[in-house]
Amino acid sequence: MFMKPILTAGALTLLATAAFAQQSEAPAPQTEALLSRFSDDANQFTQTDGEALYRTTCQACHMEDGQGDEGAGAYPPLSDDNPKMNSRHYIAGVILTGYHGMPRFGDTMTDAQIAAVTNYVRNSFGNDYSRQMTAEEVTALRVSD
């Protein structure tokens, strides 16, 4: 008895991707936007822009508009009505070491990246804090081994 081969969803995706690659020299803008959210190094975030880092690491929980959410957990808003936004050291420290259910990013981000995402969050979502976090300040927050 002859049986038809079954293609899995993954195989179909692979075939569609290969067909798309043959038809097009450059990825579509939507594809480039999606790919920009991924790092080139699996162990380190490679984005350097605060907004790109936010979209990559924070947006899934704190939402695109920074208003947070509740459901499987409680994700606080990052807007100007959150008094914790007043302290750039607090925000950088949370990004660096994690807090409650939030993962730590100190092993996967450089001091400059942590400063960049701290500054982005503190100057977005209705926030307007003039004092910027520096990479040197983040270095001072790191706990030495």
Side-chain angles (χ1 to χ4, degrees), residues 40-93:
D40 297 331
D41 179 347
N43 298 314
Q44 186 75 29
F45 288 99
T46 56
Q47 299 85 351
T48 56
D49 176 70
E51 182 179 5
L53 286 161
Y54 178 83
R55 285 193 327 262
T56 303
T57 59
C58 313
Q59 180 173 301
C61 297
H62 294 283
M63 303 294 119
E64 186 175 0
D65 60 3
Q67 293 305 306
D69 201 5
E70 289 189 21
Y75 308 102
L78 303 175
S79 54
D80 61 352
D81 59 346
N82 182 342
K84 292 179 179 177
M85 299 306 296
N86 291 318
S87 172
R88 67 186 188 284
H89 294 97
Y90 174 80
I91 300 303

Side-chain angles (χ1 to χ4, degrees), residues 19-133:
F20 174 79
Q22 289 177 349
Q23 295 174 5
S24 173
E25 290 292 320
Q30 300 90 344
T31 303
E32 275 204 31
L34 178 62
L35 291 175
S36 73
R37 294 186 63 187
F38 292 94
S39 294
D40 297 331
D41 179 347
N43 298 314
Q44 186 75 29
F45 288 99
T46 56
Q47 299 85 351
T48 56
D49 176 70
E51 182 179 5
L53 286 161
Y54 178 83
R55 285 193 327 262
T56 303
T57 59
C58 313
Q59 180 173 301
C61 297
H62 294 283
M63 303 294 119
E64 186 175 0
D65 60 3
Q67 293 305 306
D69 201 5
E70 289 189 21
Y75 308 102
L78 303 175
S79 54
D80 61 352
D81 59 346
N82 182 342
K84 292 179 179 177
M85 299 306 296
N86 291 318
S87 172
R88 67 186 188 284
H89 294 97
Y90 174 80
I91 300 303
V94 168
I95 296 166
L96 183 65
T97 63
Y99 186 69
H100 292 291
M102 184 177 146
R104 60 178 285 127
F105 292 100
D107 297 334
T108 55
M109 283 189 195
T110 66
D111 296 343
Q113 289 170 312
I114 291 172
V117 75
T118 298
N119 293 330
Y120 173 75
V121 167
R122 292 185 74 241
N123 287 288
S124 300
F125 318 121
N127 297 315
D128 186 20
Y129 295 97
S130 60
R131 188 81 193 267
Q132 298 289 296
M133 190 71 184

